[in-house]
């Protein structure tokens, strides 16, 4: 257990919350609600946000995500990233009930920052909860960009020079130290406002879907609840002595004399028979 500082609406005020490695974002909201820190209660569109001040971006944290997973991706040498609660219109989109039954798909033209300050027009596809880039929409030269099993969508928190008005990023949820090539850690895109909002929504939903499917965050909870909270356990096993000895050493006993001989397992003359 440790004390986690959680800011409310801005960096001007915060609350201390006791959390553990198993604490979820939803549990933090309920704790803050019990402290009367959320006007209108936790159901009024409040969400916990990961604010990455080192990269100038942020993202909403789903109620079933673990805080320990979020903080594990931060640079331990730079304590600039924070957790903040604030209201957002994306709260219904990222709720448990909004998780899609299949991974969302999306495609379209987009500007991709392939190098700092350098942009290229690309055709991007979201399918199988992964992002793919190609020069044209026929996809002949399509290349894999990243999987949403360990990437998520972020919005920018400070002005970013770009060819289009809307800018968003797809950044790894793992620590930067895991990447040999740091350019693979984060990808930034630019497009029109409506297109950008659509991309953001589809990527966020795809990430929710893959967290549900692959990490089984929600299904474990539902299975335990359907069983009345009882945890699954393996039935105990014990060794049992055979009723008859497998090999009879010495003379045959009275009990074994009536037992008919066991036929040979392998045909005479076979290689397996010679080994037995």
């Amino acid at each position: 257990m440790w004390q986690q500082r959680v800011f409310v609406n801005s960096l001007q005020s915060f609350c201390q919350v006791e959390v553990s490695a198993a604490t979820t974002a939803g549990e933090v909201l309920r704790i803050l609600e019990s402290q009367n820190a959320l006007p209108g209660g936790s159901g009024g569109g409040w969400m916990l946000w990961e604010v990455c001040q080192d990269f100038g971006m942020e993202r909403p944290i789903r109620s079933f995500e673990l805080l320990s997973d979020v903080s594990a991706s931060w640079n331990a040498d730079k304590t600039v990233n924070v957790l903040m609660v604030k209201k957002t219109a994306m709260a219904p989109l990222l709720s448990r009930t909004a998780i899609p039954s299949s991974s969302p798909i999306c495609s379209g033209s987009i500007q991709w920052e392939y190098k700092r300050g350098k942009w290229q027009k690309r055709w991007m596809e979201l399918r199988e909860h992964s992002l793919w880039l190609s020069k044209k929409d026929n996809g002949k030269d399509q290349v894999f960009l990243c999987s949403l099993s360990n990437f998520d969508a972020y919005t920018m928190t400070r002005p970013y020079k770009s060819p289009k008005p809307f800018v968003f990023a797809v950044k790894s949820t793992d620590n930067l130290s895991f990447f040999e090539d740091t350019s693979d850690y984060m990808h930034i895109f630019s497009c029109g406002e409506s297109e950008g909002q659509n991309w953001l929504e589809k990527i966020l939903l795809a990430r929710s879907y893959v967290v549900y499917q692959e990490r089984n965050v929600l299904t474990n909870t539902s299975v335990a609840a359907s069983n009345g909270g009882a945890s699954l356990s393996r039935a105990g096993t014990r060794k049992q002595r055979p009723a008859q000895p497998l090999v009879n050493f010495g003379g045959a006993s009275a009990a074994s004399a009536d037992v008919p001989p066991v036929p040979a397992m392998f045909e005479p003359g076979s290689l397996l028979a010679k080994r037995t």
Side-chain angles (χ1 to χ4, degrees):
M1 303 288 288
W2 70 90
Q3 293 293 321
Q4 176 67 52
R5 179 177 295 186
V6 179
F7 292 88
V8 181
N9 277 326
S10 68
L11 297 176
Q12 303 302 315
S13 61
F14 65 88
C15 296
Q16 291 290 126
V17 178
E18 187 175 63
V19 299
S20 69
T23 302
T24 64
E27 290 170 338
V28 170
L29 290 177
R30 289 189 286 272
I31 294 173
L32 292 175
E33 183 179 15
S34 67
Q35 298 177 359
N36 297 319
L38 305 179
S42 60
W46 291 96
M47 286 193 74
L48 187 65
W49 288 69
E50 175 192 10
V51 182
C52 300
Q53 299 190 102
D54 47 0
F55 294 108
M57 57 186 63
E58 63 183 7
R59 74 171 181 95
I61 305 174
R62 297 159 188 81
S63 62
F64 48 85
E65 290 187 68
L66 298 175
L67 295 193
S68 56
D69 289 342
V70 176
S71 59
S73 67
W74 296 352
N75 187 343
D77 298 330
K78 297 180 180 180
T79 56
V80 295
N81 296 344
V82 299
L83 297 175
M84 181 182 297
V85 289
K86 54 183 178 178
K87 287 190 174 183
T88 174
M90 289 190 288
L93 176 73
L94 298 177
S95 66
R96 291 171 180 252
T97 57
I99 296 176
S101 58
S102 60
S103 186
I105 58 174
C106 187
S107 62
S109 181
I110 201 166
Q111 292 287 333
W112 169 55
E113 190 180 41
Y114 67 96
K115 187 185 295 185
R116 180 67 174 176
K118 303 292 183 180
W119 299 82
Q120 289 179 339
K121 185 178 181 180
R122 287 290 183 267
W123 182 263
M124 186 161 73
E125 283 191 35
L126 166 63
R127 72 174 192 276
E128 300 169 351
H129 40 268
S130 298
L131 291 175
W132 307 76
L133 288 180
S134 59
K135 293 181 180 180
K136 297 181 180 180
D137 58 359
N138 57 23
K140 288 184 177 180
D141 59 343
Q142 196 172 68
V143 294
F144 172 79
L145 190 65
C146 65
S147 169
L148 297 180
S149 61
N150 58 345
F151 277 76
D152 209 340
Y154 289 74
T155 54
M156 314 307 287
T157 58
R158 50 180 180 249
Y160 200 91
K161 189 176 181 180
S162 62
K164 299 290 183 177
F166 190 89
V167 184
F168 69 97
V170 176
K171 186 181 78 65
S172 175
T173 54
D174 292 328
N175 195 282
L176 180 60
S177 61
F178 293 168
F179 289 78
E180 293 183 6
D181 187 351
T182 55
S183 63
D184 295 332
Y185 181 70
M186 179 174 58
H187 308 284
I188 299 179
F189 306 98
S190 176
C191 55
E193 185 74 25
S194 59
E195 295 88 350
Q197 292 291 350
N198 183 57
W199 272 114
L200 197 64
E201 176 180 323
K202 292 294 193 297
I203 293 174
L204 287 170
L205 280 175
R207 167 68 177 169
S208 295
Y209 174 85
V210 76
V211 167
Y212 174 83
Q213 293 293 332
E214 294 186 357
R215 302 190 180 179
N216 220 17
V217 173
L218 302 183
T219 51
N220 285 340
T221 304
S222 61
V223 168
S226 65
N227 290 329
S231 60
L232 298 177
S233 60
R234 177 182 291 181
T237 58
R238 60 180 181 182
K239 295 182 179 179
Q240 296 183 352
R241 295 183 179 275
Q244 300 288 343
L246 297 179
V247 180
N248 186 18
F249 295 97
S253 63
S256 62
D258 298 332
V259 179
V262 179
M265 185 177 296
F266 303 103
E267 292 296 329
S270 69
L271 293 177
L272 292 177
K274 292 179 180 179
R275 296 183 180 180
T276 59

